[in-house]
Amino acid sequence: MHEYSLACEIFENVMAIAQENNASGVRSITLKIGRLAHINPDQLLFSFETLAEGSIAKDAQVNVEFVPPSIECECGYSGTLDDISDETADTETSLCEYIARMNCPVCGGITKISGGRELIIQTIEVEQ
Ligand SMILES: [Zn+2]
């Protein structure tokens, strides 16, 4: 399961950072997930909770922020697609299709996706 291995990675990172800071607990974690990352946040959070059980991160509040996709073009145009309606962005498949059909608003050329696939641990709040 994709989300489970990602949750493992996040958990290991969180624990490493907590240890570096001699933390007694992890209060909150903020993740940034690209809308094109093919990650199901519910599954990710569920996997994380399972992993964190019995650890100092067991009570951590996990927040998820979504990163809108961005595109760039050979002409130098780059933009973020944050004006996509939730309806369009409802499923990853339709979002990917939507972007694939997009032409550069400047030159009409074919754009490529330059962002929106990331998974980043943005902040970790620990208890000393
Ligand atoms: Zn262009």
Side-chain angles (χ1 to χ4, degrees):
M1 196 163 111
H2 183 52
E3 279 78 7
Y4 187 80
S5 58
L6 288 170
C8 276
E9 241 172 79
I10 294 165
F11 180 68
E12 278 168 18
N13 278 313
V14 167
M15 294 310 278
I17 291 163
Q19 254 169 19
E20 273 170 32
N21 291 286
N22 295 316
S24 62
V26 179
R27 206 171 296 158
S28 72
I29 301 157
T30 304
L31 303 174
K32 280 190 123 174
I33 300 178
R35 279 189 140 164
L36 302 175
H38 297 283
I39 295 168
N40 179 322
D42 292 337
Q43 278 180 31
L44 184 70
L45 294 188
F46 178 77
S47 301
F48 185 85
E49 275 170 26
T50 309
L51 287 161
E53 232 166 76
S55 80
I56 60 166
K58 68 181 190 309
D59 295 321
Q61 166 78 39
V62 185
N63 307 305
V64 176
E65 285 174 17
F66 290 98
V67 183
S70 51
I71 54 167
E72 60 184 27
C73 175
E74 278 181 352
C75 76
Y77 170 83
S78 65
T80 308
L81 304 176
D82 43 14
D83 56 346
I84 292 177
S85 70
D86 282 344
E87 231 169 280
T88 313
D90 207 18
T91 66
E92 273 162 21
T93 314
S94 70
L95 184 59
C96 286
E97 277 171 11
Y98 178 80
I99 293 167
R101 282 200 305 267
M102 274 195 62
N103 288 327
C104 172
V106 177
C107 71
I110 294 163
T111 56
K112 70 170 197 244
I113 296 165
S114 57
R117 291 192 177 110
E118 50 274 86
L119 171 61
I120 301 163
I121 303 172
Q122 177 87 337
T123 53
I124 297 174
E125 212 189 321
V126 294
E127 272 166 51
Q128 295 295 333

